[in-house]
Amino acid sequence: SAVISQKPSRDICQRGTSLTIQCQVDSQVTMMFWYRQQPGQSLTLIATANQGSEATYESGFVIDKFPISRPNLTFSTLTVSNMSPEDSSIYLCSTSTGSSYEQYFGPGTRLTVT
Amino acid sequence: TQLLEQSPQFLSIQEGENLTVYCNSSSVFSSLQWYRQEPGEGPVLLVTVVTGGEVKKLKRLTFQFGDARKDSSLHITAAQPGDTGLYLCAGGLMSTGNQFYFGTGTSLTVIP
């Protein structure tokens, strides 16, 4: 298993600004994932971040809007750029260990854009 | 459309009742996980099933993986208020390596 922390836990931001969310894992991991979740709903994968390579984005998500960094095997950041109220959501990072794709999640960052 | 459909979407029951949540797909999964998420927290892994027909028990929770590895169910016996939360199934698709898909979610409320 892995223990994951995220910062900030929540933020209220103004339209047009950007927010960077940090994700720290307590052990070295190959793959890290970023998800978006509306309260009470399921998770939508934004991108997969592997250390040493460009992040792989899912359909509907682009690097200009959600740039991701993965400088080492324990850390990643997701930036939500040029925010609009539609970006208000919970953003979660996770990592996968083992061969059965089990994922371990951070507590999430609740973002509100006004 | 979602690859993994869960039913029901919402469930509100009295303490002590039994319930079953279903997770269905037309795709074959190499493994399937169930998670529970409480407000303000990330999803927490409950169980992983990997073999068709596999049944796993975790106290009052029973998980089953379909014979064809396309579906799964979660049965809770004698539900308690502490079982309240969002239940998510998720699976690794055989054809896409580590590509991981989450179900549509089931929000469970257990009333004392």
Side-chain angles (χ1 to χ4, degrees):
Chain A
S1 66
V3 178
I4 300 176
S5 59
Q6 284 184 235
K7 290 195 295 187
S9 59
R10 59 176 62 227
D11 207 342
I12 301 173
C13 301
Q14 293 209 343
R15 180 197 300 261
T17 62
S18 298
L19 176 71
T20 296
I21 302 168
Q22 299 179 10
C23 180
Q24 180 76 51
V25 188
D26 69 340
S27 57
Q28 294 185 339
V29 295
T30 302
M31 303 182 72
M32 294 181 73
F33 306 90
W34 286 98
Y35 289 87
R36 186 167 70 183
Q37 181 184 34
Q38 296 294 328
Q41 297 186 20
S42 190
L43 282 68
T44 300
L45 181 64
I46 297 171
T48 301
N50 293 337
Q51 196 270 335
S53 63
E54 293 287 325
T56 302
Y57 289 82
E58 296 300 304
S59 176
F61 298 96
V62 295
I63 187 171
D64 290 346
K65 176 67 176 177
F66 297 100
I68 288 172
S69 76
R70 184 79 201 275
N72 58 52
L73 291 173
T74 64
F75 187 78
S76 178
T77 67
L78 169 75
T79 298
V80 186
S81 303
N82 189 25
M83 288 184 285
S84 67
E86 291 71 35
D87 294 319
S88 296
S89 191
I90 300 167
Y91 292 85
L92 294 147
C93 71
S94 75
T95 186
S96 176
T97 64
S99 61
S100 297
Y101 315 131
E102 298 160 346
Q103 294 204 11
Y104 299 91
F105 287 85
T109 296
R110 181 180 290 266
L111 170 63
T112 302
V113 183
T114 61
Chain B
T1 56
Q2 293 261 154
L3 202 62
L4 283 164
E5 294 283 343
Q6 288 182 235
S7 61
Q9 184 179 358
F10 298 97
L11 190 56
S12 180
I13 61 171
Q14 294 289 333
E15 181 176 1
E17 293 183 352
N18 303 331
L19 66 114
T20 301
V21 178
Y22 299 94
C23 174
N24 294 302
S25 177
S26 58
S27 300
V28 178
F29 290 88
S30 56
S31 68
L32 196 138
Q33 290 82 41
W34 284 92
Y35 296 82
R36 179 170 66 212
Q37 183 180 22
E38 298 184 20
E41 300 181 9
V44 175
L45 178 68
L46 296 174
V47 76
T48 296
V49 286
V50 297
T51 305
E54 182 177 2
V55 176
K56 281 191 174 179
K57 291 192 175 185
L58 184 67
K59 297 183 180 178
R60 295 176 293 101
L61 279 60
T62 302
F63 306 86
Q64 184 164 8
F65 201 11
D67 291 340
R69 299 207 300 269
K70 294 182 179 181
D71 55 80
S72 181
S73 64
L74 158 61
H75 182 79
I76 300 179
T77 303
Q80 298 178 1
D83 296 327
T84 293
L86 179 68
Y87 288 81
L88 296 158
C89 65
L93 200 58
M94 292 190 77
S95 59
T96 60
N98 272 339
Q99 189 70 26
F100 207 69
Y101 297 89
F102 275 86
T104 48
T106 296
S107 180
L108 170 65
T109 301
V110 181
I111 303 166

